Amino acid sequence: MNFKQFGVLLSISTIFGMNLIANKALAQESPSITFRKAIAVGGCSIAAQEVGEDGRTLSLILDKFSAFNGQRNRCIIRINTIIPSGFNIQELNVLYQGSVEVGAKSEGPDFSRSYTFSAGNLGQVVATPQKTKFKEDDPLFQVQDNLDVISASCGGQGQLGLNLIEQSYPGSNIIVDTTDVNAGKVILSLDLIPCS
């Protein structure tokens, strides 16, 4: 093998080696979470579920989750997940979209949320229950909860729980439901970091 052939071989192996290192680093930076089929009980159902391109975002389209003119409605959602080995959850962001109608002289509706992690591997959510009080009409509200997570272990299986309550009052309505073309979406985004 002459010097020129050795140089070409060295260049090819260097490019290939750098490409493997870059791909490995990229894979470590953006791991995906496995989301199992979400289950809803109570006064709601899940019409659709879609995992985002980043592999760490889950969109749920809710159905039958609304409260009208003094009604109270509760929705309990459970999602089994698998966190990739070598990573844990640092933060959970949940965005809700819905609509609200508040009649004249009516007390606006409330939307309450709390969160649970179970099965140990997800860690513990660091947040008090959240509550939003609506005072006026909002044809497309967006409410976001940003929650810190204390991780229990590195990777593995766990279950994420969302406990939602809609409380309307006479003359007010709240909808987080696909019957309203603008409403009914819940987007969960989990921020992963390498285990230390």
Side-chain angles (χ1 to χ4, degrees), residues 28-94:
Q28 286 180 346
E29 288 177 12
S30 38
S32 294
I33 297 171
T34 301
F35 294 100
R36 302 286 189 221
K37 184 174 167 68
I39 299 168
V41 296
C44 67
S45 62
I46 296 173
Q49 173 177 332
E50 184 177 324
V51 177
E53 289 182 18
D54 64 0
R56 296 179 310 276
T57 304
L58 178 67
S59 295
L60 301 175
I61 306 296
L62 297 184
D63 201 9
K64 301 176 185 167
F65 190 44
S66 54
F68 298 100
N69 201 29
Q71 291 178 326
R72 181 178 189 269
N73 197 1
R74 183 172 186 173
C75 178
I76 300 169
I77 300 170
R78 297 294 180 258
I79 307 159
N80 289 326
T81 62
I82 300 174
I83 306 303
S85 178
F87 289 86
N88 56 33
I89 297 174
Q90 178 180 13
E91 188 175 272
L92 167 65
N93 299 304
V94 186

Side-chain angles (χ1 to χ4, degrees), residues 74-186:
R74 183 172 186 173
C75 178
I76 300 169
I77 300 170
R78 297 294 180 258
I79 307 159
N80 289 326
T81 62
I82 300 174
I83 306 303
S85 178
F87 289 86
N88 56 33
I89 297 174
Q90 178 180 13
E91 188 175 272
L92 167 65
N93 299 304
V94 186
L95 175 68
Y96 298 93
Q97 296 177 341
S99 65
V100 170
E101 296 173 357
V102 181
K105 299 181 183 178
S106 173
E107 183 178 345
D110 302 332
F111 182 42
S112 302
R113 291 97 53 208
S114 64
Y115 303 91
T116 58
F117 283 170
S118 58
N121 292 338
L122 291 176
Q124 294 297 316
V125 175
V126 183
T128 56
Q130 309 290 310
K131 184 176 183 177
T132 303
K133 177 75 171 171
F134 297 95
K135 303 274 187 190
E136 58 190 39
D137 285 3
D138 192 343
L140 178 58
F141 75 75
Q142 293 191 0
V143 173
Q144 182 162 334
D145 296 336
N146 302 314
L147 311 167
D148 292 327
V149 177
I150 297 175
S151 290
S153 65
C154 194
Q157 297 184 32
Q159 186 180 80
L160 172 61
L162 288 76
N163 306 302
L164 314 174
I165 298 173
E166 296 174 321
Q167 175 66 59
S168 67
Y169 297 93
S172 72
N173 306 318
I174 181 169
I175 302 169
V176 182
D177 186 314
T178 56
T179 58
D180 182 336
V181 72
N182 296 319
K185 199 164 199 176
V186 178

Side-chain angles (χ1 to χ4, degrees), residues 17-30 87:
M18 287 191 313
N19 191 25
L20 281 178
I21 292 168
N23 285 342
K24 186 176 180 183
L26 187 61
Q28 286 180 346
E29 288 177 12
S30 38
F87 289 86

